[in-house]
């Protein structure tokens, strides 16, 4: 399946899409995504079977839009998020902040 950029509507295969994820925020449970085509930055939450898009608000992340991605799985680690789909997997590291 192809996953669209919500800004420019380019569509990406899973490998290209999840390779563009960076900086897993464990507290808010979201990853940053930068569109390889238009450079738009989105925050999204990887959920079992779907992606959740939304906005950080008052210390939490509210999901407003969901995109179904059948077979999508995730595993939360201490300093990274592991994403898997079919037989592929991606690791999104947490950017270590000096001041927490
Ligand atoms: Zn885009």
């Amino acid at each position: 399946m192809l996953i669209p950029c919500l800004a420019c509507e380019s569509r990406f295969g899973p490998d290209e899409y999840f390779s563009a994820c960076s900086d897993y925020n464990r507290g808010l449970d979201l990853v940053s995504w930068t569109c390889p085509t238009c450079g738009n930055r989105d925050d999204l939450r990887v959920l079992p079977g779907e992606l959740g898009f939304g906005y950080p608000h008052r210390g939490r992340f509210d999901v407003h839009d969901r995109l179904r991605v059948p077979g999508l799985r995730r595993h939360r680690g201490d300093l990274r998020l592991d994403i898997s789909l079919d037989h592929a997997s991606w690791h999104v590291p947490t950017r270590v902040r000096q001041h927490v």
Side-chain angles (χ1 to χ4, degrees):
M1 80 167 279
L2 296 176
I3 304 169
C5 169
L6 299 184
C8 71
E9 299 185 352
S10 295
R11 300 171 83 82
F12 304 97
D15 193 43
E16 196 174 9
Y17 190 88
F18 291 114
S19 295
C21 290
S22 61
D23 191 18
Y24 175 53
N25 183 326
R26 197 177 199 287
L28 292 177
D29 191 18
L30 58 83
V31 298
S32 298
W33 183 79
T34 305
C35 177
T37 299
C38 73
N40 176 59
R41 255 182 88 117
D42 255 329
D43 294 321
L44 60 98
R45 179 175 292 165
V46 178
L47 293 160
E50 62 184 12
L51 296 174
F53 298 90
Y55 306 95
H57 178 67
R58 296 187 182 177
R60 42 177 294 191
F61 182 70
D62 295 324
V63 171
H64 293 281
D65 292 299
R66 292 168 185 269
L67 177 75
R68 283 183 49 76
V69 183
L72 186 66
R73 286 178 297 156
R74 59 177 229 156
H75 176 76
R76 298 176 69 181
D78 279 341
L79 287 173
R80 71 180 205 200
L81 180 71
D82 296 339
I83 303 168
S84 58
L85 179 66
D86 300 328
H87 298 294
S89 63
W90 301 268
H91 309 291
V92 183
T94 295
R95 188 176 63 209
V96 177
R97 294 164 178 81
Q98 293 196 322
H99 306 284
V100 177

